[in-house]
Amino acid sequence: MTVNEAAHREATVLVVEDEESIADVLTIALRYHRFQVMTAGTVREALALAERTRPDVALLDVMLPDGDGRALGRELRARHPGSAVVFVTARDAPAEIVGALGFGDDYITKPFNIDEVVARVRAVLRRTFSRPDVLPQRPPLRYGDLELDETTYSVHRAGHTVELTPTEYALLRFLVRNGGRIVPKEQLLRHVWQYEHTPQESTVVETYISYLRRKLDPLGPPLITTRRGVGYGLA
């Protein structure tokens, strides 16, 4: 069994959904694929569960009876920085998607295909922080004054620690591994997000590039370059 397979079999998913029928479908499908699943119907229940058992991935509805799923996502990320956050909601306006991706790792709209949800959870786990006890020691990746530690999943630039979400880290790591080459947008979608380019996902890469620039550029010269109509690379 590979490291990825072992991580997926042991991963814990927190499903926060107030519609019982949807929660049941998600729970049954995820357990079938050997995930550990916790369910909650409210913000309060979700925070209590997350306090007792840190989830590897949280699947969050945006509209909950006692609060906003986006605020819950921020709180979960603050309490457990290594946890991934995926929103599952009927809201599909571009502004909603971009806003949620500011602190989440993926966004799935209702109605959804359950196989797609499972695939997205697996994809998030592949790019999220893995446990150090199942990873071999690996030398850091370096590019200029940037250093990525692939064992601890930490990032430093010019001696400063850079706090990244799992998806931001995965995107930056892929750019570093490609050196100064311009990486096409479609290739980034395949390798970082593990799905093909579609209209719904057309702004995901641009959104995360802007997040990386906001965090990296204050620490040195602009690092990420844009080749309009093609993709992105490192200066």
Side-chain angles (χ1 to χ4, degrees), residues 168-189:
E168 290 167 350
Y169 179 90
L171 175 57
L172 181 61
R173 178 176 58 185
F174 193 72
L175 291 174
V176 169
R177 284 178 171 172
N178 279 274
R181 188 175 73 86
I182 296 295
V183 182
K185 179 178 170 181
E186 290 74 15
Q187 188 175 349
L188 290 171
L189 280 167

Side-chain angles (χ1 to χ4, degrees), residues 22-147:
I22 296 178
D24 287 345
V25 168
L26 289 170
T27 299
I28 292 170
L30 290 166
R31 284 177 177 164
Y32 175 80
H33 289 279
R34 303 191 182 184
F35 292 97
Q36 299 294 321
V37 184
M38 304 182 295
T39 59
T42 66
V43 171
R44 177 179 293 183
E45 291 174 0
L47 290 174
L49 282 173
E51 195 64 31
R52 294 197 297 269
T53 305
R54 182 189 69 83
D56 296 293
V57 182
L59 287 178
L60 309 180
D61 188 9
V62 170
M63 300 176 67
L64 295 167
D66 60 341
D68 190 320
R70 291 165 297 189
L72 173 59
R74 281 192 291 266
E75 181 65 23
L76 289 174
R77 177 59 57 75
R79 294 188 186 190
H80 308 294
S83 296
V85 175
V86 177
F87 294 100
V88 183
T89 176
R91 296 181 174 182
D92 60 358
E96 294 277 355
I97 296 173
V98 172
L101 286 175
F103 53 87
D105 297 286
D106 210 339
Y107 192 102
I108 301 169
T109 56
K110 299 176 182 177
F112 53 76
N113 179 294
I114 192 62
D115 291 334
E116 179 187 2
V117 174
V118 173
R120 294 284 189 94
V121 169
R122 284 176 168 160
V124 165
L125 282 169
R126 281 195 291 270
R127 64 182 186 258
T128 196
F129 297 107
S130 300
R131 296 184 306 281
D133 61 318
V134 299
L135 284 176
Q137 293 291 320
R138 287 177 285 185
L141 291 173
R142 292 188 174 90
Y143 190 91
D145 60 357
L146 188 69
E147 181 178 295

Side-chain angles (χ1 to χ4, degrees), residues 164-229:
L164 300 182
T165 68
T167 301
E168 290 167 350
Y169 179 90
L171 175 57
L172 181 61
R173 178 176 58 185
F174 193 72
L175 291 174
V176 169
R177 284 178 171 172
N178 279 274
R181 188 175 73 86
I182 296 295
V183 182
K185 179 178 170 181
E186 290 74 15
Q187 188 175 349
L188 290 171
L189 280 167
R190 286 195 301 271
H191 287 270
V192 178
W193 281 268
Q194 279 82 47
Y195 47 72
E196 298 297 326
H197 176 83
T198 68
Q200 177 182 324
E201 295 137 1
S202 62
T203 62
V204 168
V205 177
E206 291 89 339
T207 299
Y208 274 91
I209 289 291
S210 70
Y211 295 152
L212 284 177
R213 282 173 170 154
R214 259 183 251 167
K215 294 180 178 182
L216 294 171
D217 287 359
L219 303 176
L223 183 65
I224 300 174
T225 62
T226 302
R227 180 72 58 84
R228 193 171 298 279

